[in-house]
Amino acid sequence: MFLKTMLLPRLVALAIACSTVYAGSPDLNVPCCPSTATIKFTTQIPSGAACPLTTVDVCYTDKELNLVFNAYGETNYYFNETQGTNGDIWEYEVMEAFIYKGKEDPQTYFEYEVNPNNVTYNAFSYNPSRVRAAGAPFDHAYISDPFADGFKVDTTLNKPENTWTSRSTIPLALFNGENPKGTNWRMNFFRTIVSPATYPNQQLCGWRNTGAANFHITSVFGNVLFV
């Protein structure tokens, strides 16, 4: 008993020293569906110049994260029709979500992309430098059969209105995150814009500006709370 009493303060001190404490208000409070929180962005990365409006409606259920991506001002709808699931669709036009369950700046996080052809990219990014530093390890672990694993996606194009919308569902079990009310997450959202005339030079647009032509800078991921 004496030994336990002596050790307890030390163990508590170590736990506090090793923990990362998030201070401040969340950048986004995400409600339970059918209510949604909406992200909007209209700036290029890294310049801050104007970019066509993109919105993402976010909500959760006990088992799923629901994302509704809306691309406005679209004129190209540019994709490579030969690409399938987990192909390099990011070379063309996509909308993206980077997702991590936790408070700290992540070194491994989920990268989800969808293009106007309803094709998705689904992978965990391993980025121990947190900035995709030159010469540092950087790798991906793919979800090889996302639809069998519970992913859903439905993309519609509205060319008369210059928009496209993708309704995406990601299983929370992917993050050991079912029943997520009250949990903290880190996220960022992006869109790439390119045409046949400008390819491969893309406009990079996003919610939280990374300050570089590089989406993989995790210190700027937004702080998200599931309420």
Side-chain angles (χ1 to χ4, degrees):
M1 179 63 71
F2 176 74
L3 180 60
K4 291 181 180 178
T5 304
M6 292 293 290
L7 284 174
L8 184 58
R10 175 63 174 163
L11 292 173
V12 170
L14 284 172
I16 293 172
C18 292
S19 63
T20 301
V21 179
Y22 167 63
S25 300
D27 300 302
L28 186 71
N29 289 311
V30 174
C32 184
C33 304
S35 299
T36 61
T38 300
I39 291 166
K40 300 179 180 181
F41 53 91
T42 57
T43 55
Q44 291 186 46
I45 294 174
S47 69
C51 195
L53 173 65
T54 307
T55 68
V56 189
D57 299 325
V58 188
C59 69
Y60 68 88
T61 69
D62 286 347
K63 295 184 179 297
E64 297 174 335
L65 175 64
N66 291 329
L67 305 173
V68 180
F69 297 92
N70 296 286
Y72 297 87
E74 182 62 66
T75 58
N76 307 305
Y77 304 92
Y78 192 38
F79 57 86
N80 183 338
E81 63 183 11
T82 69
Q83 293 177 327
T85 301
N86 297 333
D88 293 342
I89 62 173
W90 43 267
E91 294 178 338
Y92 298 86
E93 293 200 306
V94 294
M95 291 187 277
E96 308 187 19
F98 287 17
I99 305 167
Y100 170 74
K101 183 176 180 288
K103 297 181 179 181
E104 61 270 27
D105 299 344
Q107 294 173 293
T108 301
Y109 44 91
F110 187 65
E111 181 177 348
Y112 177 80
E113 305 175 7
V114 60
N115 75 5
N117 198 33
N118 203 47
V119 174
T120 62
Y121 178 99
N122 319 263
F124 282 95
S125 294
Y126 174 62
N127 178 15
S129 72
R130 298 184 173 90
V131 295
R132 197 177 182 179
F138 184 78
D139 206 348
H140 292 88
Y142 293 96
I143 304 298
S144 61
D145 195 355
F147 302 114
D149 292 338
F151 286 72
K152 303 170 188 172
V153 63
D154 180 26
T155 302
T156 58
L157 313 184
N158 187 341
K159 292 187 176 181
E161 298 295 329
N162 298 110
T163 65
W164 61 283
T165 296
S166 179
R167 301 178 181 275
S168 299
T169 298
I170 298 172
L172 288 172
L174 195 70
F175 311 96
N176 294 309
E178 292 187 348
N179 303 302
K181 183 179 178 67
T183 56
N184 295 91
W185 299 68
R186 302 292 301 277
M187 299 184 186
N188 212 346
F189 298 89
F190 305 101
R191 176 182 173 187
T192 62
I193 300 173
V194 68
S195 71
T198 62
Y199 180 84
N201 298 315
Q202 297 170 308
Q203 289 185 48
L204 308 178
C205 311
W207 178 40
R208 306 276 296 183
N209 197 325
T210 60
N214 172 8
F215 291 167
H216 295 271
I217 299 177
T218 68
S219 61
V220 304
F221 281 21
N223 293 285
V224 178
L225 177 64
F226 284 20
V227 298

